Amino acid sequence: MDILQIVGLGLVATFLVVLLQEQKSNLSFLLTVFVGCTIFLLLVDQISNILLTLREMAEGAHIQMVYLEMMLKIIGIAYIAEFAAQISKDAGQGAIAAKIELGGKIVILALAVPILTAIIEAVISLIPAAR
């Protein structure tokens, strides 16, 4: 998927949403959600290529897969929360969008705790007095 196609789709959809918003606000919102999901689906191939490349790099660097998987989950949660928050904002629900963003941040923090623990344990093991 070329960026020009994504931008073109987005701009055409934006134009249509602006036209529909005054007459049929429900339809304009559905169009917004549909185009957002369509753009995401158009990017699935590129996302899978990125994941494959990251996996190959992690294997080449002898990084434990559990850490890579954890980082990918964190990134995925961030993107999903952002996408949902933007849809809520488009619907005029800024308060709900803020709660979605907060929920995403808390879930990310909960997933990051084992990684932070491993880093702290590694640093402590490097300190001579701690042995």
Side-chain angles (χ1 to χ4, degrees):
M1 173 60 43
D2 185 47
I3 187 64
L4 294 177
Q5 292 172 320
I6 293 171
V7 170
L9 176 62
L11 290 176
V12 168
T14 300
F15 178 73
L16 291 173
V17 166
V18 169
L19 288 176
L20 289 172
Q21 203 160 22
E22 300 210 5
Q23 302 296 326
K24 309 245 182 203
S25 61
N26 291 341
L27 189 60
S28 69
F29 175 70
L30 289 175
L31 179 61
T32 301
V33 173
F34 175 76
V35 170
C37 292
T38 301
I39 289 173
F40 177 76
L41 291 174
L42 292 172
L43 295 171
V44 167
D45 285 339
Q46 289 186 352
I47 293 169
S48 66
N49 288 339
I50 291 168
L51 294 176
L52 182 63
T53 302
L54 288 174
R55 183 174 297 275
E56 290 171 356
M57 288 172 51
E59 288 172 356
H62 304 293
I63 296 174
Q64 293 181 16
M65 283 300 162
V66 69
Y67 295 120
L68 177 65
E69 289 172 2
M70 191 71 61
M71 292 303 298
L72 292 175
K73 283 181 186 178
I74 288 171
I75 292 168
I77 289 167
Y79 281 128
I80 291 168
E82 177 68 19
F83 184 74
Q86 288 298 324
I87 289 174
S88 295
K89 286 178 186 175
D90 289 344
Q93 299 299 316
I96 294 173
K99 302 314 180 278
I100 291 171
E101 290 172 346
L102 176 65
K105 291 173 186 175
I106 290 172
V107 171
I108 287 170
L109 182 60
L111 286 174
V113 168
I115 294 172
L116 292 172
T117 303
I119 291 170
I120 291 170
E121 288 174 356
V123 169
I124 289 174
S125 70
L126 295 175
I127 300 173
R131 294 180 187 179

